[in-house]
Amino acid sequence: MVLDLRRVFLGESEQLQQSLVFEMTDLPGELVSVSPVDADITVSNHAGLVVFSACVRFEGKVLCDRCCKSFDKSFAYSFSHILVSAPSDDDEGDDYIEAPDYMLDTDALLRDDILLELPSKFLCDESCKGLCPKCGKDLNEGECTCKRHEPDPRLAALSALLED
């Protein structure tokens, strides 16, 4: 959704509140599916400083990075940005978000914020034991019969030196 923020930037209105729902596309590999994202947005002008704030909530089906099972997870994040209509010489780097012609694409901004906030690893449980690297058995369901402490075959020549 593209918001027209002209009234907020020009001081005609001190605040704009909006609730919206949007779909997430181009999901990272661990996210199998995501419900529509609910967002509550507030854009306010505080003595010429325009601040964009958002709270987002959604549900997702996620793959565990250790055992590869899917599980449901709830997500809730809050974001805040300073908005400018055009960059000035005093503005540096990523400290602000541009809203050219007082227009802001909230879906794209929130999508980027969500993707940056997602954890790098998803675990079904903090104590998830994962899969056996040899046979692939889920170690959460019980131990496997694999011999775990086999030496690395690439190091066999070194172990032969130790035996002498």
Side-chain angles (χ1 to χ4, degrees), residues 53-93:
S53 302
C55 294
V56 297
R57 295 164 306 285
F58 60 98
E59 304 289 322
K61 185 169 282 301
V62 183
L63 290 178
C64 178
D65 282 316
R66 288 187 188 157
C67 68
C68 298
K69 286 188 178 178
S70 65
F71 63 98
D72 295 326
K73 181 166 176 60
S74 297
F75 298 91
Y77 299 116
S78 295
F79 307 108
S80 182
H81 298 286
I82 296 172
L83 301 179
V84 295
S85 59
S88 68
D89 295 335
D90 297 338
D91 294 329
E92 293 184 18

Side-chain angles (χ1 to χ4, degrees), residues 41-43 50-54 79-83 104 106 109-110:
I41 296 172
T42 303
V43 181
V50 179
V51 178
F52 171 90
S53 302
F79 307 108
S80 182
H81 298 286
I82 296 172
L83 301 179
L104 180 67
T106 57
L109 177 60
L110 291 175

Side-chain angles (χ1 to χ4, degrees), residues 29 44 94 96 145:
S44 54
D94 297 329
Y96 61 89
T145 58

Side-chain angles (χ1 to χ4, degrees), residues 94-133:
D94 297 329
D95 295 340
Y96 61 89
I97 302 292
E98 265 188 73
D101 298 323
Y102 307 112
M103 304 299 270
L104 180 67
D105 183 358
T106 57
D107 294 358
L109 177 60
L110 291 175
R111 181 190 175 284
D112 291 346
D113 283 341
I114 290 169
L115 290 176
L116 288 171
E117 194 68 27
L118 288 173
S120 60
K121 298 253 185 242
F122 291 101
L123 299 178
C124 59
D125 186 19
E126 285 297 320
S127 62
C128 179
K129 296 177 182 176
L131 302 175
C132 172

